[in-house]
């Protein structure tokens, strides 16, 4: 979603057999114009598009599988769909550190730094200006950070992140160099499922911040390791 309207972004198999990005835009006659965005000799996957109705373009944040990072894998990267060949690398892909989410209504996303002195901390990336800012400096790996504008904090930016695979920590902007952790939410006592996945914030019509999430019985994959799970708000 941008000033030009809406589009669909998906993975497709390119002529060389790699997974690349394709764009589908609806024509006035109801058909779709499809074009291949990315190309190269390695896969690009898990693409998430920005949703900023005031932006002149859309950005994709995603993971690569090129083996060129310092950790031997790929990169969390982003690109402008109008200039898909100009790929910007942000941080290596690392198990337990991965995760990236757009702040809805902006061209900014949050991710977790995978290496270096700030590893495990949350990074704010502005895809339009390429500016980056480290938002946290407390102990622990902040997995899958997700930001929103919280009515409870005057409409300022807040975010949550999963810590130790089992808890959600809430952070808010208090005007300092780093965001302040204001609450840590463990799984409720009413369930024996302890591991968090896909926690996503939203604001209700009544102006209240809520988080939807999956609780599961194993920290691993829902496709191969998990035998029981529940959806909570």
């Amino acid at each position: 979603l941008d000033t030009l309207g809406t589009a669909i972004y998906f993975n497709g198999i390119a002529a060389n057999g790699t997974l690349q990005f394709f764009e589908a835009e609806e024509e006035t006659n109801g058909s779709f114009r499809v074009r291949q965005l990315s190309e190269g000799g390695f896969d690009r996957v898990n693409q998430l598009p920005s949703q900023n109705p005031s932006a002149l373009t859309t950005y994709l944040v995603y993971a690569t599988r090129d083996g060129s990072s310092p950790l031997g894998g790929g990169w969390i990267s982003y690109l402008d769909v109008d200039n898909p060949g100009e790929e910007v690398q942000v941080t290596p892909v690392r198990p337990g550190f991965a995760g990236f989410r757009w702040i809805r209504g902006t061209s900014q996303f949050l991710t977790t730094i995978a290496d270096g002195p700030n590893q495990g901390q949350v990074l704010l990336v502005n895809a339009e200006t390429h500016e980056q800012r480290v938002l946290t400096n407390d102990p622990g790996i902040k997995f899958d950070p997700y930001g929103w504008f919280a009515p409870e904090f005057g409409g300022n930016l807040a975010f949550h992140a999963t810590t130790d695979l089992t808890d959600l920590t809430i952070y808010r902007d208090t005007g300092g160099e780093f965001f302040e952790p204001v609450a840590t939410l463990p799984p409720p006592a009413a369930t024996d499922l302890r591991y968090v996945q896909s926690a996503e914030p939203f604001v209700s019509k009544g102006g209240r911040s809520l988080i939807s999430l999956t609780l599961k019985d194993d920290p691993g994959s829902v496709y191969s390791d998990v035998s029981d799970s529940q959806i909570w708000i």
Side-chain angles (χ1 to χ4, degrees), residues 85-219:
E86 298 181 7
E87 184 173 79
V88 181
Q89 297 174 339
V90 177
T91 190
V93 174
R94 182 176 180 179
F97 287 70
F100 41 83
R101 297 285 191 173
W102 292 100
I103 302 168
R104 187 180 296 272
T106 79
S107 299
Q108 301 179 85
F109 66 89
L110 297 177
T111 189
T112 302
I113 301 171
D115 66 343
N118 291 312
Q119 67 174 6
Q121 304 298 340
V122 174
L123 183 69
L124 174 66
V125 179
N126 187 320
E128 182 177 357
T129 65
H130 305 303
E131 295 176 294
Q132 298 185 9
R133 177 188 170 191
V134 180
L135 297 187
T136 59
N137 69 339
D138 54 325
I141 299 169
K142 271 65 74 176
F143 178 79
D144 205 13
Y146 204 137
W148 80 103
F149 296 104
E152 295 86 350
F153 302 140
N156 292 323
L157 180 64
F159 68 88
H160 65 68
T162 304
T163 53
D164 299 324
L165 301 177
T166 64
D167 299 331
L168 280 181
T169 302
I170 312 296
Y171 296 81
R172 68 173 178 176
D173 186 1
T174 57
E177 180 180 359
F178 300 106
F179 277 44
E180 175 190 0
V182 295
T184 297
L185 309 177
T191 179
D192 59 356
L193 305 182
R194 313 314 299 166
Y195 299 101
V196 173
Q197 179 166 320
S198 297
E200 304 185 17
F202 64 98
V203 177
S204 70
K205 288 185 177 181
R208 182 183 182 189
S209 295
L210 302 170
I211 299 171
S212 66
L213 66 147
T214 300
L215 290 177
K216 53 187 185 174
D217 64 351
D218 189 279

